[in-house]
Short mmCIF file of all heavy atoms in Angstrom, two decimals:
data_model
loop_
_atom_site.label_atom_id
_atom_site.label_comp_id
_atom_site.label_asym_id
_atom_site.label_seq_id
_atom_site.Cartn_x
_atom_site.Cartn_y
_atom_site.Cartn_z
N SER V 16 -12.85 97.80 117.76
CA SER V 16 -13.28 99.11 118.25
C SER V 16 -12.08 100.03 118.41
O SER V 16 -11.06 99.63 119.00
CB SER V 16 -14.02 99.00 119.57
OG SER V 16 -15.24 98.30 119.42
N PRO V 17 -12.16 101.27 117.92
CA PRO V 17 -11.04 102.20 118.02
C PRO V 17 -10.65 102.49 119.47
O PRO V 17 -11.48 102.47 120.37
CB PRO V 17 -11.55 103.47 117.34
CG PRO V 17 -12.73 103.05 116.55
CD PRO V 17 -13.32 101.87 117.24
N VAL V 18 -9.35 102.75 119.67
CA VAL V 18 -8.81 103.16 120.96
C VAL V 18 -8.29 104.59 120.83
O VAL V 18 -7.52 104.89 119.90
CB VAL V 18 -7.69 102.22 121.42
CG1 VAL V 18 -7.01 102.77 122.67
CG2 VAL V 18 -8.24 100.83 121.68
N ILE V 19 -8.72 105.47 121.72
CA ILE V 19 -8.22 106.85 121.78
C ILE V 19 -7.21 106.93 122.93
O ILE V 19 -7.55 106.66 124.09
CB ILE V 19 -9.39 107.83 122.00
CG1 ILE V 19 -10.34 107.80 120.78
CG2 ILE V 19 -8.87 109.25 122.25
CD1 ILE V 19 -11.61 108.63 120.98
N LYS V 20 -5.97 107.28 122.62
CA LYS V 20 -4.91 107.32 123.61
C LYS V 20 -4.79 108.72 124.20
O LYS V 20 -4.67 109.70 123.47
CB LYS V 20 -3.58 106.91 122.98
CG LYS V 20 -3.59 105.55 122.31
CD LYS V 20 -4.04 104.44 123.22
CE LYS V 20 -2.99 104.09 124.23
NZ LYS V 20 -1.81 103.45 123.63
N ILE V 21 -4.79 108.78 125.54
CA ILE V 21 -4.72 110.05 126.26
C ILE V 21 -3.52 110.00 127.18
O ILE V 21 -3.46 109.18 128.10
CB ILE V 21 -6.02 110.28 127.06
CG1 ILE V 21 -7.23 110.25 126.10
CG2 ILE V 21 -5.95 111.60 127.83
CD1 ILE V 21 -8.49 109.76 126.73
N CYS V 22 -2.54 110.84 126.93
CA CYS V 22 -1.29 110.80 127.68
C CYS V 22 -1.35 111.73 128.89
O CYS V 22 -1.68 112.92 128.76
CB CYS V 22 -0.12 111.20 126.77
SG CYS V 22 1.47 110.84 127.54
N ALA V 23 -1.00 111.19 130.05
CA ALA V 23 -1.08 111.95 131.30
C ALA V 23 0.17 112.76 131.58
O ALA V 23 0.11 113.84 132.16
CB ALA V 23 -1.33 110.99 132.46
N ASN V 24 1.33 112.22 131.19
CA ASN V 24 2.61 112.78 131.57
C ASN V 24 3.16 113.65 130.44
O ASN V 24 3.31 113.18 129.32
CB ASN V 24 3.58 111.64 131.88
CG ASN V 24 4.89 112.10 132.48
OD1 ASN V 24 5.52 113.02 131.98
ND2 ASN V 24 5.31 111.44 133.54
N PRO V 25 3.47 114.92 130.69
CA PRO V 25 3.94 115.79 129.62
C PRO V 25 5.23 115.32 128.99
O PRO V 25 5.44 115.47 127.76
CB PRO V 25 4.10 117.16 130.28
CG PRO V 25 4.19 116.87 131.75
CD PRO V 25 3.38 115.64 131.98
N ASP V 26 6.16 114.73 129.79
CA ASP V 26 7.40 114.23 129.21
C ASP V 26 7.14 113.05 128.28
O ASP V 26 7.69 112.97 127.18
CB ASP V 26 8.36 113.82 130.32
CG ASP V 26 8.86 115.01 131.12
OD1 ASP V 26 8.88 116.14 130.56
OD2 ASP V 26 9.22 114.83 132.31
N THR V 27 6.29 112.12 128.73
CA THR V 27 5.90 111.00 127.87
C THR V 27 5.19 111.50 126.62
O THR V 27 5.41 111.00 125.52
CB THR V 27 4.97 110.03 128.63
OG1 THR V 27 5.62 109.60 129.84
CG2 THR V 27 4.65 108.80 127.79
N GLY V 28 4.34 112.51 126.81
CA GLY V 28 3.61 113.07 125.67
C GLY V 28 4.53 113.62 124.61
O GLY V 28 4.27 113.51 123.40
N ARG V 29 5.65 114.19 125.02
CA ARG V 29 6.60 114.70 124.02
C ARG V 29 7.36 113.56 123.35
O ARG V 29 7.57 113.60 122.13
CB ARG V 29 7.59 115.66 124.71
CG ARG V 29 6.99 117.05 124.96
CD ARG V 29 8.01 118.02 125.53
NE ARG V 29 8.19 117.85 126.97
CZ ARG V 29 7.46 118.48 127.89
NH1 ARG V 29 6.53 119.33 127.52
NH2 ARG V 29 7.69 118.28 129.18
N ARG V 30 7.74 112.53 124.12
CA ARG V 30 8.48 111.42 123.53
C ARG V 30 7.61 110.57 122.59
O ARG V 30 8.09 110.07 121.58
CB ARG V 30 9.04 110.51 124.64
CG ARG V 30 10.20 111.09 125.41
CD ARG V 30 10.91 110.01 126.21
NE ARG V 30 9.99 109.29 127.10
CZ ARG V 30 9.72 109.67 128.35
NH1 ARG V 30 10.27 110.77 128.86
NH2 ARG V 30 8.89 108.96 129.10
N LEU V 31 6.36 110.39 122.99
CA LEU V 31 5.46 109.50 122.23
C LEU V 31 4.31 110.28 121.57
O LEU V 31 3.22 109.75 121.42
CB LEU V 31 4.90 108.41 123.16
CG LEU V 31 5.92 107.46 123.79
CD1 LEU V 31 5.21 106.46 124.69
CD2 LEU V 31 6.73 106.74 122.73
N ALA V 32 4.60 111.49 121.17
CA ALA V 32 3.56 112.32 120.58
C ALA V 32 2.90 111.67 119.38
O ALA V 32 1.71 111.83 119.14
CB ALA V 32 4.15 113.68 120.18
N ALA V 33 3.67 110.89 118.62
CA ALA V 33 3.14 110.27 117.40
C ALA V 33 2.19 109.11 117.71
O ALA V 33 1.56 108.58 116.78
CB ALA V 33 4.28 109.77 116.53
N ASP V 34 2.07 108.71 119.00
CA ASP V 34 1.17 107.63 119.38
C ASP V 34 -0.04 108.10 120.17
O ASP V 34 -0.89 107.30 120.52
CB ASP V 34 1.92 106.59 120.21
CG ASP V 34 2.79 105.69 119.35
OD1 ASP V 34 2.27 104.70 118.83
OD2 ASP V 34 4.00 105.99 119.22
N MET V 35 -0.10 109.37 120.50
CA MET V 35 -1.13 109.87 121.40
C MET V 35 -2.14 110.77 120.68
O MET V 35 -1.77 111.61 119.86
CB MET V 35 -0.49 110.66 122.57
CG MET V 35 0.49 109.83 123.39
SD MET V 35 -0.33 108.44 124.21
CE MET V 35 1.06 107.29 124.41
N ASP V 36 -3.42 110.57 121.02
CA ASP V 36 -4.48 111.41 120.45
C ASP V 36 -4.67 112.70 121.23
O ASP V 36 -4.99 113.74 120.63
CB ASP V 36 -5.81 110.63 120.44
CG ASP V 36 -5.77 109.42 119.54
OD1 ASP V 36 -5.97 109.56 118.33
OD2 ASP V 36 -5.51 108.31 120.06
N VAL V 37 -4.50 112.62 122.54
CA VAL V 37 -4.74 113.79 123.40
C VAL V 37 -3.60 113.90 124.39
O VAL V 37 -3.22 112.91 125.03
CB VAL V 37 -6.09 113.67 124.16
CG1 VAL V 37 -6.27 114.85 125.11
CG2 VAL V 37 -7.26 113.59 123.18
N ASN V 38 -3.04 115.10 124.57
CA ASN V 38 -1.98 115.34 125.52
C ASN V 38 -2.55 116.01 126.76
O ASN V 38 -2.68 117.23 126.84
CB ASN V 38 -0.88 116.22 124.90
CG ASN V 38 0.22 116.56 125.88
OD1 ASN V 38 0.33 115.94 126.96
ND2 ASN V 38 1.05 117.53 125.53
N ALA V 39 -2.91 115.19 127.75
CA ALA V 39 -3.45 115.73 129.00
C ALA V 39 -2.35 116.27 129.91
O ALA V 39 -2.63 116.94 130.91
CB ALA V 39 -4.26 114.66 129.74
N GLY V 40 -1.08 115.99 129.57
CA GLY V 40 0.02 116.49 130.34
C GLY V 40 0.08 118.02 130.34
O GLY V 40 0.74 118.62 131.21
N ARG V 41 -0.60 118.64 129.39
CA ARG V 41 -0.65 120.11 129.36
C ARG V 41 -1.25 120.66 130.63
O ARG V 41 -0.96 121.78 131.04
CB ARG V 41 -1.51 120.56 128.15
CG ARG V 41 -0.88 120.17 126.85
CD ARG V 41 -1.68 120.39 125.59
NE ARG V 41 -2.92 121.10 125.70
CZ ARG V 41 -4.11 120.55 125.49
NH1 ARG V 41 -4.20 119.23 125.21
NH2 ARG V 41 -5.20 121.25 125.55
N ILE V 42 -2.11 119.87 131.29
CA ILE V 42 -2.72 120.31 132.56
C ILE V 42 -1.63 120.53 133.61
O ILE V 42 -1.63 121.52 134.33
CB ILE V 42 -3.73 119.25 133.05
CG1 ILE V 42 -4.88 119.11 132.05
CG2 ILE V 42 -4.29 119.62 134.43
CD1 ILE V 42 -5.76 117.88 132.29
N LEU V 43 -0.69 119.58 133.69
CA LEU V 43 0.35 119.66 134.68
C LEU V 43 1.27 120.87 134.48
O LEU V 43 1.79 121.44 135.43
CB LEU V 43 1.19 118.38 134.64
CG LEU V 43 2.01 118.02 135.88
CD1 LEU V 43 1.11 117.78 137.07
CD2 LEU V 43 2.86 116.78 135.59
N GLU V 44 1.43 121.27 133.23
CA GLU V 44 2.31 122.39 132.92
C GLU V 44 1.57 123.72 132.86
O GLU V 44 2.15 124.76 132.47
CB GLU V 44 3.04 122.12 131.62
CG GLU V 44 3.95 120.90 131.72
CD GLU V 44 4.79 120.65 130.48
OE1 GLU V 44 4.27 120.88 129.36
OE2 GLU V 44 5.94 120.20 130.62
N GLY V 45 0.28 123.70 133.19
CA GLY V 45 -0.50 124.93 133.25
C GLY V 45 -0.96 125.45 131.90
O GLY V 45 -1.44 126.59 131.82
N ASP V 46 -0.90 124.60 130.87
CA ASP V 46 -1.29 125.05 129.54
C ASP V 46 -2.74 124.71 129.20
O ASP V 46 -3.22 125.07 128.12
CB ASP V 46 -0.38 124.43 128.49
CG ASP V 46 1.06 124.92 128.63
OD1 ASP V 46 1.24 126.08 129.02
OD2 ASP V 46 2.00 124.11 128.34
N ALA V 47 -3.43 123.98 130.10
CA ALA V 47 -4.83 123.63 129.86
C ALA V 47 -5.44 123.25 131.21
O ALA V 47 -4.72 122.89 132.16
CB ALA V 47 -4.97 122.48 128.87
N THR V 48 -6.76 123.33 131.31
CA THR V 48 -7.46 122.92 132.52
C THR V 48 -8.07 121.54 132.32
O THR V 48 -8.17 121.03 131.19
CB THR V 48 -8.60 123.91 132.85
OG1 THR V 48 -9.60 123.84 131.80
CG2 THR V 48 -8.07 125.34 132.96
N LEU V 49 -8.49 120.92 133.42
CA LEU V 49 -9.18 119.64 133.34
C LEU V 49 -10.41 119.74 132.45
O LEU V 49 -10.69 118.85 131.62
CB LEU V 49 -9.60 119.14 134.71
CG LEU V 49 -8.54 118.45 135.56
CD1 LEU V 49 -9.06 118.22 136.98
CD2 LEU V 49 -8.13 117.12 134.93
#
């Protein structure tokens, strides 16, 4: 079964962008809402 990766931390999201499907860290930086 497929796994969809959702990154919580914006710094981690930048370092591991090639492994993440969704960057939820944008919420912390004010670039997106929940």
